[in-house]
Amino acid sequence: MELALLVIDMQNRFQAVLNDAQIIPRVVKVMQACHDKCIPIFLTQHHDPEPDSIICKFWKPIHIESDDWQLIPEIENAVVQEKDVIIAEKIRYNAFYQTPLKKNLLARKVDTVAIVGCETNLCCESTARAANDNNFSVLFLKDGNASSTKEFHDATVKSMEYGFGKTPTCQEFIKMLRT
């Protein structure tokens, strides 16, 4: 198994959701464990360059370089600039859509992606489904993803378990890396 970690949209815009779900310390530990094992990490930053895009019909746009667009400080501090890849081109829920993510994963011979981030039922789920569609195995870290409601989060985890991937906890994932 050639693994990569995808850290989806852990940006200032979503700070309240991330805090409510209390995932930040767990995600930082997962990033540290991946760094220790030389597992590549890809972080996404969503923005909305097209004010008439479908996403902007649901949400206030995130502008590139704005405070909302920045990674939250805890994640920014966990980034290793020489190793980690930031995908700042993300403009849809799905992190594969019109970004270099797939090309970067294939260049590193990755066949499995572990997914953490925000929001569980939007960008994280869409990315997991796209990973599956692109023939990557998926590890959806169930306590490493955050959503605005428990119901949305739990529904996505059940969907992932049913047909898209495995759903270990962050601690189980870290233990897996050590074996």
Side-chain angles (χ1 to χ4, degrees), residues 66 78 80 109 125-126 142:
S66 69
V80 175
K109 299 190 182 346
E125 179 177 358
S126 295
K142 61 182 158 193

Side-chain angles (χ1 to χ4, degrees), residues 105-177:
L105 293 171
L106 292 175
R108 290 166 176 79
K109 299 190 182 346
V110 169
D111 60 13
T112 303
V113 293
I115 297 174
V116 295
C118 189
E119 285 203 19
T120 306
N121 56 305
L122 296 171
C123 298
C124 300
E125 179 177 358
S126 295
T127 299
R129 288 172 180 264
N132 182 278
D133 288 346
N134 281 287
N135 208 34
F136 293 99
S137 295
V138 173
L139 299 172
F140 197 86
L141 279 55
K142 61 182 158 193
D143 63 346
N145 285 275
S147 189
S148 55
T149 73
K150 183 178 181 340
E151 293 79 16
F152 290 156
H153 177 82
D154 291 347
T156 294
V157 170
K158 284 184 181 193
S159 182
M160 289 296 115
E161 291 169 345
Y162 184 73
F164 292 98
K166 295 180 179 174
T167 59
T169 65
C170 291
Q171 185 175 2
E172 290 167 343
F173 176 76
I174 291 169
K175 191 179 291 185
M176 179 195 82
L177 295 180

